[in-house]
Coordinates of all heavy atoms in Angstrom, one line a residue:
Chain E
D352 N -18.6 -16.5 22.1 CA -19.1 -16.9 20.7 C -18.5 -16.0 19.6 O -18.0 -16.5 18.6 CB -20.6 -16.8 20.6 CG -21.3 -17.9 21.4 OD1 -20.7 -19.0 21.6 OD2 -22.5 -17.7 21.8
T353 N -18.6 -14.7 19.9 CA -18.0 -13.7 18.9 C -16.5 -14.0 18.7 O -16.0 -14.0 17.6 CB -18.2 -12.3 19.4 OG1 -19.6 -12.1 19.3 CG2 -17.5 -11.3 18.5
I354 N -15.8 -14.3 19.8 CA -14.4 -14.5 19.7 C -14.1 -15.8 18.9 O -13.3 -15.8 18.0 CB -13.7 -14.6 21.1 CG1 -13.9 -13.3 21.9 CG2 -12.2 -14.9 21.0 CD1 -13.4 -13.3 23.3
A355 N -14.8 -16.9 19.2 CA -14.6 -18.2 18.5 C -14.9 -18.0 17.0 O -14.2 -18.6 16.2 CB -15.6 -19.2 19.1
N356 N -15.8 -17.1 16.7 CA -16.1 -16.9 15.2 C -15.0 -16.1 14.5 O -15.1 -15.9 13.3 CB -17.5 -16.4 15.0 CG -18.5 -17.4 15.3 OD1 -18.3 -18.6 14.9 ND2 -19.6 -17.0 15.9
L357 N -14.1 -15.5 15.3 CA -12.9 -14.8 14.6 C -11.9 -15.8 14.0 O -11.1 -15.5 13.2 CB -12.2 -13.9 15.6 CG -13.0 -12.7 16.1 CD1 -12.3 -12.0 17.3 CD2 -13.2 -11.7 15.0
Y358 N -12.0 -17.1 14.5 CA -11.0 -18.1 14.1 C -11.6 -18.8 12.9 O -12.8 -18.9 12.7 CB -10.8 -19.1 15.2 CG -10.1 -18.6 16.4 CD1 -10.7 -17.7 17.3 CD2 -8.8 -19.1 16.8 CE1 -10.0 -17.2 18.4 CE2 -8.1 -18.6 17.9 CZ -8.7 -17.7 18.7 OH -8.1 -17.3 19.9
T359 N -10.7 -19.5 12.1 CA -11.2 -20.4 11.0 C -11.8 -21.6 11.7 O -11.7 -21.8 12.9 CB -10.0 -20.9 10.2 OG1 -9.1 -21.7 11.0 CG2 -9.2 -19.8 9.5
E360 N -12.5 -22.4 10.9 CA -13.2 -23.6 11.5 C -12.3 -24.5 12.2 O -12.7 -25.2 13.2 CB -14.0 -24.3 10.3 CG -15.4 -23.8 10.2 CD -16.1 -24.6 9.1 OE1 -15.8 -25.8 8.9 OE2 -16.9 -24.0 8.3
D361 N -11.1 -24.6 11.7 CA -10.1 -25.5 12.4 C -9.0 -24.6 13.0 O -7.9 -25.1 13.3 CB -9.5 -26.6 11.5 CG -9.0 -26.0 10.2 OD1 -9.0 -24.8 10.0 OD2 -8.5 -26.8 9.4
G362 N -9.3 -23.4 13.3 CA -8.3 -22.5 14.0 C -7.9 -23.0 15.4 O -8.7 -23.7 16.0
M363 N -6.8 -22.5 15.8 CA -6.2 -23.0 17.1 C -5.9 -21.8 18.0 O -5.3 -20.8 17.6 CB -4.9 -23.7 16.9 CG -5.1 -25.1 16.4 SD -3.5 -26.0 16.5 CE -2.6 -25.2 15.1
V364 N -6.2 -22.0 19.3 CA -5.6 -21.2 20.4 C -4.6 -22.1 21.1 O -4.9 -23.2 21.4 CB -6.7 -20.5 21.3 CG1 -7.7 -21.5 21.9 CG2 -6.1 -19.7 22.4
M365 N -3.4 -21.6 21.3 CA -2.3 -22.4 21.8 C -1.8 -21.7 23.1 O -0.8 -21.0 23.1 CB -1.2 -22.4 20.8 CG -1.7 -23.0 19.4 SD -0.5 -22.7 18.0 CE 0.7 -23.9 18.3
P366 N -2.5 -22.0 24.3 CA -2.1 -21.3 25.5 C -1.0 -22.0 26.2 O -0.7 -23.2 26.0 CB -3.4 -21.5 26.4 CG -4.1 -22.7 25.8 CD -3.6 -22.9 24.4
P367 N -0.3 -21.3 27.1 CA 0.8 -21.9 27.9 C 0.2 -22.9 28.8 O -0.9 -22.7 29.3 CB 1.4 -20.7 28.6 CG 0.9 -19.5 28.0 CD -0.4 -19.8 27.3
N368 N 1.0 -23.9 29.1 CA 0.7 -24.9 30.2 C -0.6 -25.7 29.9 O -1.3 -26.0 30.8 CB 0.7 -24.2 31.5 CG 2.0 -23.5 31.8 OD1 2.0 -22.2 31.9 ND2 3.1 -24.1 31.7
A369 N -0.9 -25.9 28.6 CA -2.1 -26.7 28.2 C -1.9 -27.0 26.7 O -1.1 -26.3 26.0 CB -3.3 -25.9 28.4
V370 N -2.5 -28.1 26.3 CA -2.4 -28.4 24.8 C -3.3 -27.4 24.1 O -4.2 -26.7 24.7 CB -2.8 -29.8 24.5 CG1 -1.8 -30.8 25.1 CG2 -4.2 -30.1 24.9
Q371 N -3.1 -27.3 22.8 CA -3.9 -26.3 22.0 C -5.4 -26.7 22.0 O -5.7 -27.9 22.1 CB -3.4 -26.2 20.6 CG -3.5 -27.5 19.7 CD -2.2 -28.3 19.8 OE1 -1.5 -28.3 20.8 NE2 -2.0 -29.1 18.8
A372 N -6.2 -25.7 21.8 CA -7.7 -25.9 21.6 C -7.9 -25.7 20.1 O -7.6 -24.6 19.6 CB -8.5 -25.0 22.4
E373 N -8.4 -26.7 19.4 CA -8.5 -26.7 18.0 C -9.9 -26.8 17.5 O -10.6 -27.7 17.9 CB -7.6 -27.8 17.4 CG -7.4 -27.7 15.9 CD -6.3 -28.6 15.5 OE1 -5.5 -29.2 16.3 OE2 -6.1 -28.8 14.2
G374 N -10.4 -25.9 16.6 CA -11.7 -26.0 16.1 C -12.7 -25.1 16.9 O -12.5 -24.8 18.1
T375 N -13.8 -24.6 16.2 CA -14.6 -23.6 16.8 C -15.1 -23.9 18.2 O -15.0 -23.1 19.1 CB -15.9 -23.4 15.9 OG1 -15.4 -23.1 14.5 CG2 -16.7 -22.2 16.3
E376 N -15.6 -25.1 18.4 CA -16.2 -25.4 19.7 C -15.1 -25.5 20.8 O -15.3 -24.9 21.9 CB -16.9 -26.8 19.7 CG -17.6 -27.2 21.0 CD -18.4 -26.1 21.7 OE1 -18.9 -25.2 21.0 OE2 -18.6 -26.2 22.9
A377 N -13.9 -26.0 20.5 CA -12.8 -26.1 21.5 C -12.3 -24.7 21.8 O -12.0 -24.3 23.0 CB -11.7 -27.0 21.0
V378 N -12.2 -23.8 20.8 CA -11.8 -22.5 20.9 C -12.8 -21.7 21.8 O -12.4 -21.0 22.7 CB -11.6 -21.8 19.6 CG1 -11.4 -20.3 19.7 CG2 -10.4 -22.4 18.8
R379 N -14.1 -21.9 21.5 CA -15.1 -21.2 22.3 C -15.0 -21.6 23.8 O -15.1 -20.8 24.6 CB -16.5 -21.6 21.7 CG -17.7 -20.7 22.1 CD -19.0 -21.3 21.8 NE -19.2 -22.6 22.5 CZ -19.4 -22.7 23.9 NH1 -19.5 -21.6 24.6 NH2 -19.6 -23.8 24.4
Q380 N -14.8 -22.9 24.0 CA -14.7 -23.4 25.4 C -13.5 -22.8 26.1 O -13.6 -22.4 27.3 CB -14.7 -24.9 25.5 CG -16.0 -25.5 25.3 CD -16.0 -27.1 25.3 OE1 -15.1 -27.7 25.8 NE2 -17.0 -27.7 24.6
F381 N -12.4 -22.7 25.4 CA -11.2 -22.1 26.0 C -11.5 -20.7 26.4 O -11.2 -20.2 27.6 CB -10.0 -22.1 25.0 CG -8.9 -21.2 25.5 CD1 -8.0 -21.6 26.4 CD2 -8.8 -19.8 25.1 CE1 -7.0 -20.8 26.9 CE2 -7.8 -19.0 25.6 CZ -6.9 -19.5 26.5
W382 N -12.2 -19.9 25.5 CA -12.4 -18.5 25.8 C -13.5 -18.4 26.9 O -13.4 -17.5 27.8 CB -12.8 -17.7 24.6 CG -11.6 -17.3 23.8 CD1 -11.1 -18.0 22.7 CD2 -10.7 -16.3 24.1 NE1 -9.9 -17.4 22.3 CE2 -9.6 -16.3 23.1 CE3 -10.7 -15.3 25.1 CZ2 -8.6 -15.4 23.1 CZ3 -9.6 -14.4 25.1 CH2 -8.6 -14.4 24.1
E383 N -14.5 -19.3 26.9 CA -15.5 -19.3 28.0 C -14.8 -19.4 29.3 O -15.2 -18.7 30.3 CB -16.5 -20.4 27.7 CG -17.8 -20.2 28.4 CD -18.9 -21.2 27.9 OE1 -18.7 -22.4 28.1 OE2 -19.8 -20.7 27.3
G384 N -13.8 -20.4 29.4 CA -13.1 -20.6 30.6 C -12.3 -19.3 31.1 O -12.4 -18.9 32.2
L385 N -11.6 -18.8 30.1 CA -10.8 -17.6 30.4 C -11.7 -16.4 30.9 O -11.4 -15.7 31.9 CB -10.0 -17.2 29.2 CG -9.0 -16.0 29.4 CD1 -7.9 -16.3 30.4 CD2 -8.4 -15.6 28.0
L386 N -12.8 -16.2 30.1 CA -13.7 -15.1 30.4 C -14.4 -15.3 31.8 O -14.9 -14.3 32.3 CB -14.7 -14.8 29.3 CG -14.1 -14.5 27.9 CD1 -15.1 -14.3 26.9 CD2 -13.2 -13.2 28.0
G387 N -14.4 -16.5 32.3 CA -15.1 -16.8 33.5 C -14.2 -16.6 34.7 O -14.7 -16.8 35.9
L388 N -13.0 -16.3 34.6 CA -12.1 -16.1 35.7 C -12.6 -14.9 36.6 O -13.0 -13.9 36.0 CB -10.6 -15.8 35.2 CG -9.9 -17.0 34.6 CD1 -8.6 -16.6 33.9 CD2 -9.6 -18.1 35.6
P389 N -12.5 -15.0 37.9 CA -13.0 -14.0 38.8 C -12.4 -12.6 38.6 O -11.1 -12.6 38.6 CB -12.7 -14.6 40.2 CG -12.4 -16.0 40.0 CD -11.9 -16.2 38.6
N390 N -13.2 -11.7 38.4 CA -12.7 -10.3 38.3 C -11.6 -10.1 37.3 O -10.6 -9.5 37.5 CB -12.2 -9.7 39.7 CG -13.4 -9.6 40.6 OD1 -14.4 -9.0 40.3 ND2 -13.2 -10.1 41.8
L391 N -11.9 -10.8 36.1 CA -10.9 -10.7 35.0 C -10.7 -9.3 34.4 O -11.7 -8.6 34.2 CB -11.4 -11.6 33.9 CG -10.6 -11.6 32.6 CD1 -9.3 -12.4 32.8 CD2 -11.4 -12.2 31.4
S392 N -9.5 -9.0 34.2 CA -9.1 -7.8 33.4 C -8.2 -8.3 32.3 O -7.1 -8.9 32.7 CB -8.5 -6.8 34.3 OG -7.9 -5.8 33.5
F393 N -8.5 -8.2 31.1 CA -7.7 -8.7 30.0 C -7.8 -7.8 28.8 O -8.9 -7.5 28.3 CB -8.2 -10.1 29.6 CG -7.4 -10.7 28.5 CD1 -6.1 -10.8 28.5 CD2 -8.1 -11.2 27.3 CE1 -5.4 -11.4 27.4 CE2 -7.4 -11.7 26.3 CZ -6.1 -11.8 26.3
T394 N -6.6 -7.5 28.3 CA -6.6 -6.7 27.0 C -5.4 -7.0 26.3 O -4.4 -7.6 26.8 CB -6.8 -5.2 27.3 OG1 -7.0 -4.5 26.0 CG2 -5.5 -4.6 27.9
F395 N -5.4 -6.8 25.0 CA -4.2 -6.9 24.2 C -4.1 -5.9 23.1 O -5.1 -5.3 22.7 CB -4.1 -8.3 23.6 CG -5.1 -8.6 22.5 CD1 -4.8 -8.4 21.2 CD2 -6.3 -9.2 22.8 CE1 -5.7 -8.7 20.2 CE2 -7.2 -9.5 21.8 CZ -6.9 -9.2 20.5
E396 N -2.9 -5.7 22.5 CA -2.7 -4.6 21.6 C -1.7 -5.0 20.5 O -0.6 -5.4 20.9 CB -2.3 -3.3 22.3 CG -2.5 -2.1 21.5 CD -2.2 -0.8 22.3 OE1 -1.8 -0.9 23.5 OE2 -2.5 0.3 21.8
P397 N -2.0 -4.9 19.3 CA -1.0 -5.3 18.3 C 0.2 -4.2 18.2 O -0.1 -3.0 18.4 CB -1.8 -5.2 16.9 CG -3.0 -4.4 17.2 CD -3.3 -4.5 18.7
T398 N 1.4 -4.7 18.1 CA 2.6 -3.9 17.9 C 2.9 -3.8 16.4 O 3.2 -2.7 15.9 CB 3.8 -4.5 18.6 OG1 3.4 -4.9 19.9 CG2 4.9 -3.5 18.6
T399 N 2.8 -5.0 15.7 CA 3.1 -5.1 14.3 C 2.0 -5.9 13.6 O 1.7 -7.0 14.1 CB 4.4 -5.9 14.1 OG1 5.4 -5.2 14.9 CG2 4.9 -5.9 12.7
V400 N 1.5 -5.4 12.5 CA 0.6 -6.2 11.6 C 1.3 -6.2 10.2 O 1.5 -5.1 9.7 CB -0.8 -5.7 11.6 CG1 -1.7 -6.5 10.6 CG2 -1.4 -5.8 13.0
E401 N 1.6 -7.3 9.7 CA 2.1 -7.4 8.3 C 1.3 -8.3 7.4 O 0.9 -9.4 7.9 CB 3.6 -7.8 8.3 CG 4.6 -6.8 8.9 CD 4.7 -5.5 8.1 OE1 4.4 -5.5 6.9 OE2 5.1 -4.6 8.7
V402 N 1.0 -7.9 6.2 CA 0.1 -8.6 5.3 C 0.9 -9.1 4.1 O 1.7 -8.3 3.5 CB -1.0 -7.7 4.9 CG1 -1.9 -8.4 3.9 CG2 -1.8 -7.3 6.1
A403 N 0.8 -10.4 3.7 CA 1.4 -10.9 2.5 C 1.0 -10.2 1.3 O -0.2 -9.6 1.2 CB 1.2 -12.4 2.4

Side-chain angles (χ1 to χ4, degrees):
Chain E
D352 287 338
T353 292
I354 300 175
N356 286 325
L357 292 171
Y358 293 69
T359 65
E360 269 181 34
D361 53 359
M363 279 192 289
V364 54
M365 303 165 79
N368 308 119
V370 296
Q371 66 268 26
E373 190 165 352
T375 309
E376 181 49 25
V378 167
R379 197 193 61 73
Q380 282 178 22
F381 167 82
W382 281 99
E383 201 169 63
L385 182 65
L386 298 178
L388 291 169
N390 293 313
L391 176 73
S392 168
F393 176 55
T394 191
F395 68 90
E396 199 168 7
T398 312
T399 307
V400 176
E401 290 294 340
V402 177

